[in-house]
Amino acid sequence: MLRIAARPTRLAVANRRNIASTSARQADITLTVDGKEVTVPQGSALIQACEAAGSPIPRFCYHDRLAIAGNCRMCLVEVQRAPKPVASCAAPAMNGQVVFTNSPAVHSAREGVMEFLLANHPLDCPICDQGGECDLQDQSIRYGSDRTRFHEIAGKRAVSNKDLGPIVKTSMNRCIQCTRCVRFANEVAGVEELGTTGRGNDLQIGMYVEKMMNSELSGNVIDLCPVGALTSKPYAFQARPWELKNTESVDVLDAVGSNIRVDSRGVQVMRIQPRTNDNVNEEWISDKTRYAYDGLRTQRLTTPLVKGPDNRFVAATWPDALAAIANGLKRTGASGNEIKAIAGHLADTESLVVLKDLINRLGSDNLASDLVGKSGDSAPVHGVDVKSNYSFNSTIPGLENADAILLVGTNPRHEAAVLNSRIRKSWLHSDLVVGMVGTRADTTYSYEHLGENAKSLETFLGGKVKGEFAERWAKAERPMIIVGSAMAEHADGEAVFGMLARYVASAGTRLVREDWNGFNVLQRVASRPAAYEIGFVPSRAAASATPKFIYLLNADEIDPASIPADAFVVYQGHHGDRGAALADVCLPGAAYTEKGATWVNTEGRSQLGRAAVPPPGAARDDWKVIRALAEVVGVDLPYDDVVGVRDRMWAISPSLVRWDGLEETSLEVAQAGLAVLSKNKKTLKGDKMGLAIGNFYQTDVVSRASVTMAQCTRAFVTGESEPLGAVEMHA
Amino acid sequence: MSHAAVTIPARLAQATRASTSPADARTRVIQMYRDWYRAAPEIVDQYYLDASTTQLRHAIRLRFEANRNLTDVRAIDVLLLKSRQEYQETMNMWKQPDHIYGIMLQPKERPSRSFLQKFYEGRDEDAITPAASGVV
């Protein structure tokens, strides 16, 4: 991974890290497509000009977010005074060109290409998972011949299937060699082993050797594949696209807030697909986002449970369960800060707001989070008064403008997989350099490792490190510091935040100025930015109280030892996992695909998730559970519908209900926030900055309950070898 | 029911108009109520109802009382229009006896329930209405 050191003198030109390139935007040019004049920027491909003119071009290999290959030949168009049809994806648009996309010559050329493609494509559409959403199927309706001229004695080309792991299912006979998967793996995912061997008709896609595709973005090649060569293993033969209902929602298994489309049939989520949003996830999602959904079917809490005298859970009705909690609250005699609420990873903003209102009205400020160790029991070291102190201020698209990135105690590949692909994109296409303080990890781009603890960070910030990264960092115009959220839970966290804030202040306008805020905290948990935004943190007095009544809202990463033995514990959530095991009463809530709720991502962008399916059994919307409990314990909350709750959210912070928008922190406020941070002074202990996420595939209750994620863990994390074919078995 | 054979569609029809003021609306409502009240014996007679005129008048009264608190003239106008249509259809024998019994039954209004009652009863109505986008 240390390519920086090995690389000889660097050329200060863009695009040095890959072969294909897109030239810088220049003047506009005008050309005629099907008799229609269209103006596009110089350097556009002909296919883009045709699209702009409203003439759709069939294509297999071309994809806007990948390099151009020009090998499927389906996008042939006729250009005046050109001797032959031109592949429009690979040809640049020229000024004054006259293009025909609908002429008889174009049609016969496309029909010829289609005939060649179909010559070696098996006729297995009825048993192919791509059926109904297959580019080849769709385009063969228009350009396919109705009779065959294929009379090879040897039959069609046969290619052996590859084992790419528990996610990607291969049927290589169906491959039309568009190489989209290869380009995606090389450019976006950083799996440089996926490639092609052979030439012409014998060209094969594969990993060169018997090897699985180890990437957290591998599911995207399934979407990219225009035919059924790469399909989804967990989804194999489960549903057809026309049976599915599509719901646009937001992912919550990390803090990126990837936009997703939940495809459901009846009451079941059948699959999760990405939704394009250039500000967040482009059109990629991670494998956890895509495949953890089978965890939504198992281990669910479907009915309220009350622990009986023999310490076993007994199913109860809602009135009984709520009465049991009210009794418990009375019996323990908890008052003031002895009433504690702990918010977990998957708590939505609405329920956090309602829970905070309830706890505050019970006279307590003890609003903790299930952070690592005891750090959730006190307010986070970065404070929550200024949003820019805990947000990803440069924004995710801003990553593409950065020219130097310093990662502090974070491995973005596992903490925010899709965001990491942006860093790689920027690294490939620009002159970006990356430095890292923390545990070494494979990040899919090269970085200069500066040390493993806060002391090495201090040395680097003090300018005592020589090296290429340090040189480039000192000259960078748009430098970015990305601090992992785990630093807030680290022994040296306070010192590190203080050190960085003082560095940013001393750097003047280099890191924080009107058009650039290079101080970023990368959150890894979906609920955290919202919790900080609404002030779901304990006060100083509350942090030292011994709780007698504990309310766990989706809190599953909690340390069981931190709960006093005599405390009355309530768990509200959707899975029977660690948190539920600790509880005296369990209240079933809805998972993220089952409720319309607001989620705030690491940038502070609030997005609206929508319910695709109803919650199972007696489970209820989370904020309603808390609202009902409030009524039973005699607390009057001033809202009883979701509009009322969102009015309350608006009163707390208007940006929470301005969905999809991003409120930027003004320069003065950001500087004020850093000034507060820079007062954090503590002697360094020098503990190693560990990895926040050990196993990317199992970080929360949904992914821990998922069979697919368990198989990915076996395949990619623990490395247990599975006999070939065993991965075909699915629950 | 001899006169039913010579139904004149326009019989008892009235041109729709907006009330000019709350006082005007009140006058119209009282007129409407009076029409129903006077028609009660004929309705019982024509439809061979197994009920007395008093019972029918009581049922009609309940319908009017249910909307006594309305102040919005436009809302009153809508109710007036609907009532006038009902009246016309009833008096022209465009209905069956069952329709008239429908008027006499207790109106099936759901009692307003508190948040907690709704919560215990089942899932909330609006929140589980899925937001479907249809076919991609």
Side-chain angles (χ1 to χ4, degrees):
Chain A
M1 269 283 94
L2 281 175
R3 269 173 42 196
I4 284 188
R7 203 163 32 218
T9 43
R10 177 190 306 274
L11 295 171
V13 292
N15 317 318
R16 72 199 185 285
R17 287 177 179 117
N18 63 346
I19 304 158
S21 64
T22 315
S23 44
R25 179 169 285 220
Q26 291 160 355
D28 286 352
I29 52 166
T30 305
L31 62 159
T32 314
V33 179
D34 290 340
K36 206 171 153 191
E37 280 217 338
V38 61
T39 305
V40 291
Q42 191 163 26
S44 303
L46 204 46
I47 197 167
Q48 288 170 321
C50 295
E51 289 282 311
S55 306
I57 307 288
R59 84 284 301 264
F60 292 113
C61 71
Y62 175 76
H63 191 275
D64 345 336
R65 290 178 210 275
L66 301 176
I68 289 159
N71 53 2
C72 76
R73 317 309 289 180
M74 197 59 198
C75 62
L76 293 172
V77 294
E78 203 180 340
V79 178
Q80 210 170 45
R81 287 197 293 278
K84 302 186 286 186
V86 184
S88 63
C89 70
M94 306 277 206
N95 204 12
Q97 238 172 1
V98 181
V99 183
F100 303 99
T101 70
N102 229 348
S103 64
V106 169
H107 268 262
S108 71
R110 290 177 187 166
E111 278 161 20
V113 170
M114 181 58 76
E115 198 172 353
F116 275 121
L117 287 175
L118 290 179
N120 273 321
H121 194 81
L123 297 172
D124 57 0
C125 300
I127 55 140
C128 174
D129 251 328
Q130 195 81 356
E133 49 187 358
C134 174
D135 290 356
L136 189 64
Q137 206 176 30
D138 295 348
Q139 290 173 34
S140 67
I141 301 294
R142 183 152 183 185
Y143 299 106
S145 168
D146 60 347
R147 62 207 62 210
T148 181
R149 288 191 285 178
F150 185 79
H151 301 295
E152 294 291 321
I153 310 283
K156 296 193 179 221
R157 174 174 52 107
V159 186
S160 60
N161 292 343
K162 312 287 184 291
D163 180 18
L164 294 184
I167 281 177
V168 185
K169 181 180 171 182
T170 59
S171 307
M172 287 319 224
N173 281 346
R174 298 178 188 148
C175 178
I176 58 168
Q177 299 151 347
C178 70
T179 68
R180 274 189 192 179
C181 52
V182 173
R183 281 173 284 148
F184 174 83
N186 285 274
E187 291 164 25
V188 183
V191 182
E192 280 155 7
E193 301 94 295
L194 189 70
T196 59
T197 46
R199 286 175 60 109
N201 210 29
D202 294 324
L203 184 119
Q204 283 195 31
I205 310 283
M207 302 292 286
Y208 303 119
V209 292
E210 191 72 33
K211 188 171 183 287
M212 285 183 287
M213 186 176 172
N214 185 358
S215 164
E216 65 295 327
L217 294 171
S218 64
N220 293 302
V221 298
I222 298 163
D223 287 348
L224 286 171
C225 186
V227 295
L230 305 178
T231 54
S232 167
K233 246 179 213 174
Y235 176 69
F237 312 127
Q238 298 290 305
R240 287 295 194 185
W242 56 85
E243 306 170 325
L244 300 173
K245 186 190 77 178
N246 307 316
T247 311
E248 300 195 336
S249 191
V250 178
D251 174 55
V252 303
L253 302 181
D254 56 30
V256 178
S258 301
N259 288 210
I260 54 170
R261 198 187 78 206
V262 182
D263 289 2
S264 57
R265 188 175 60 190
V267 298
Q268 258 193 352
V269 175
M270 298 308 291
R271 65 172 175 179
I272 287 176
Q273 300 278 87
R275 191 154 60 89
T276 307
N277 184 343
D278 281 331
N279 286 328
V280 183
N281 57 322
E282 296 178 287
E283 56 180 273
W284 321 124
I285 53 174
S286 71
D287 288 349
K288 187 163 56 177
T289 303
R290 193 185 292 261
Y291 288 116
Y293 67 84
D294 62 345
L296 295 169
R297 297 175 191 166
T298 48
Q299 294 286 331
R300 292 301 299 268
L301 297 173
T302 56
T303 172
L305 301 169
V306 177
K307 209 169 247 178
D310 55 351
N311 238 8
R312 294 169 77 91
F313 279 124
V314 183
T317 61
W318 275 105
D320 291 349
L322 296 183
I325 297 170
N327 283 339
L329 181 59
K330 209 174 284 172
R331 200 178 63 239
T332 54
S335 65
N337 287 333
E338 290 163 353
I339 300 170
K340 181 178 185 178
I342 305 180
H345 285 199
L346 303 178
D348 61 271
T349 313
E350 278 82 355
S351 57
L352 285 170
V353 167
V354 179
L355 183 60
K356 179 168 156 57
D357 279 351
L358 167 64
I359 299 293
N360 286 352
R361 276 165 202 243
L362 287 171
S364 166
D365 279 328
N366 208 344
L367 303 159
S369 305
D370 61 345
L371 297 177
V372 175
K374 289 199 176 301
S375 41
D377 291 341
S378 51
V381 291
H382 45 62
V384 296
D385 292 339
V386 181
K387 188 176 181 177
S388 59
N389 278 6
Y390 56 86
S391 301
F392 202 84
N393 300 311
S394 308
T395 73
I396 296 174
L399 279 167
E400 291 177 16
N401 302 327
D403 45 11
I405 295 179
L406 174 65
L407 301 171
V408 181
T410 179
N411 174 14
R413 183 172 178 186
H414 286 169
E415 290 169 37
V418 176
L419 185 147
N420 193 56
S421 76
R422 286 264 184 149
I423 303 182
R424 180 175 162 84
K425 182 181 172 189
S426 181
W427 178 79
L428 277 177
H429 294 281
S430 76
D431 220 8
L432 174 74
V433 282
V434 184
M436 181 199 261
V437 183
T439 306
R440 283 175 201 269
D442 181 357
T443 52
T444 73
Y445 39 84
S446 71
Y447 56 83
E448 193 168 309
H449 192 246
L450 302 164
E452 289 196 323
N453 57 27
K455 283 183 178 154
S456 15
L457 178 66
E458 194 177 32
T459 323
F460 173 75
L461 295 181
K464 288 172 204 141
V465 173
K466 295 274 174 290
E468 192 179 0
F469 176 73
E471 251 169 59
R472 297 281 305 280
W473 175 261
K475 279 183 265 168
E477 283 170 13
R478 286 173 178 271
M480 264 176 94
I481 298 174
I482 303 181
V483 192
S485 55
M487 282 320 295
E489 300 150 32
H490 192 263
D492 283 335
E494 204 176 333
V496 165
F497 273 96
M499 192 195 303
L500 287 170
R502 284 192 296 277
Y503 176 76
V504 172
S506 69
T509 58
R510 223 164 64 76
L511 269 128
V512 178
R513 55 177 184 267
E514 202 61 67
D515 65 331
W516 184 251
N517 188 339
F519 179 76
N520 299 284
V521 180
L522 178 61
Q523 299 289 344
R524 64 182 195 279
V525 171
S527 75
R528 219 70 87 200
Y532 294 155
E533 174 90 26
I534 67 165
F536 200 100
V537 289
S539 65
R540 202 177 295 265
S544 55
T546 309
K548 288 185 183 167
F549 177 89
I550 300 180
Y551 197 93
L552 304 173
L553 177 65
N554 295 93
D556 286 283
E557 316 307 316
I558 188 169
D559 177 16
S562 70
I563 294 180
D566 57 343
F568 188 85
V569 183
V570 180
Y571 175 80
Q572 178 189 336
H574 40 79
H575 277 75
D577 205 281
R578 295 171 198 164
L582 303 167
D584 293 300
V585 178
C586 285
L587 303 176
Y592 68 105
T593 52
E594 294 151 9
K595 59 187 167 190
T598 305
W599 303 93
V600 181
N601 82 348
T602 181
E603 300 165 284
R605 186 186 301 276
S606 112
Q607 300 184 100
L608 192 61
R610 294 177 184 85
V613 294
R620 302 275 195 274
D621 245 5
D622 286 270
W623 75 265
K624 282 184 185 143
V625 175
I626 304 165
R627 167 70 179 75
L629 175 66
E631 199 160 325
V632 171
V633 299
V635 172
D636 186 24
L637 294 179
Y639 32 73
D640 48 14
D641 56 5
V642 78
V643 179
V645 177
R646 290 190 177 142
D647 282 349
R648 172 78 182 122
M649 283 160 60
W650 188 87
I652 294 169
S653 166
S655 71
L656 287 176
V657 288
R658 290 188 191 137
W659 294 297
D660 299 327
L662 189 57
E663 303 274 326
E664 280 178 22
T665 311
S666 71
L667 177 63
E668 291 75 21
V669 175
Q671 282 169 339
L674 289 166
V676 174
L677 273 190
S678 56
K679 289 183 194 123
N680 288 354
K681 278 180 192 162
K682 233 179 159 187
T683 42
L684 292 180
K685 287 187 181 155
D687 292 3
K688 186 178 167 184
M689 296 174 184
L691 292 171
I693 294 178
N695 176 3
F696 165 74
Y697 295 100
Q698 294 182 322
T699 52
D700 49 77
V701 282
V702 180
S703 52
R704 276 199 293 270
S706 157
V707 175
T708 314
M709 290 298 102
Q711 285 173 332
C712 287
T713 307
R714 276 170 62 101
F716 301 127
V717 183
T718 56
E720 292 166 55
S721 61
E722 273 178 290
L724 205 62
V727 285
E728 306 277 343
M729 305 280 292
H730 268 277
Chain B
M1 286 193 261
S2 55
H3 67 268
V6 284
T7 301
I8 307 159
R11 181 174 174 251
L12 298 173
Q14 282 191 5
T16 312
R17 72 174 181 89
S19 305
T20 50
S21 65
D24 180 33
R26 183 181 149 78
T27 326
R28 292 176 69 201
V29 171
I30 291 172
Q31 187 55 49
M32 187 74 246
Y33 177 71
R34 197 171 277 159
D35 288 348
W36 278 109
Y37 191 87
R38 286 182 180 155
E42 194 188 335
I43 297 170
V44 172
D45 189 46
Q46 294 291 331
Y47 285 90
Y48 297 105
L49 294 187
D50 188 15
S52 69
T53 309
T54 321
Q55 282 171 312
L56 182 60
R57 281 179 175 158
H58 177 67
I60 290 166
R61 176 90 196 186
L62 282 182
R63 294 287 171 119
F64 277 82
E65 290 289 341
N67 296 317
R68 178 183 270 286
N69 56 346
L70 278 187
T71 51
D72 184 352
V73 175
R74 288 171 302 176
I76 296 172
D77 280 350
V78 170
L79 290 172
L80 270 174
L81 170 81
K82 286 182 176 172
S83 187
R84 186 57 70 184
Q85 279 178 343
E86 286 278 308
Y87 179 75
Q88 187 192 3
E89 288 166 12
T90 310
M91 299 313 291
N92 285 340
M93 297 300 291
W94 296 345
K95 290 190 172 195
Q96 300 292 313
D98 288 4
H99 295 127
I100 312 298
Y101 283 125
I103 295 177
M104 296 184 64
L105 290 171
Q106 236 357 293
K108 275 183 285 180
E109 275 163 16
R110 299 179 77 184
S112 81
R113 296 161 305 153
S114 70
F115 175 85
L116 209 52
Q117 282 170 325
K118 280 194 273 188
F119 181 82
Y120 288 151
E121 219 168 78
R123 301 201 183 102
D124 188 83
E125 41 291 356
D126 45 347
I128 62 153
T129 311
S133 67
V135 181
V136 242

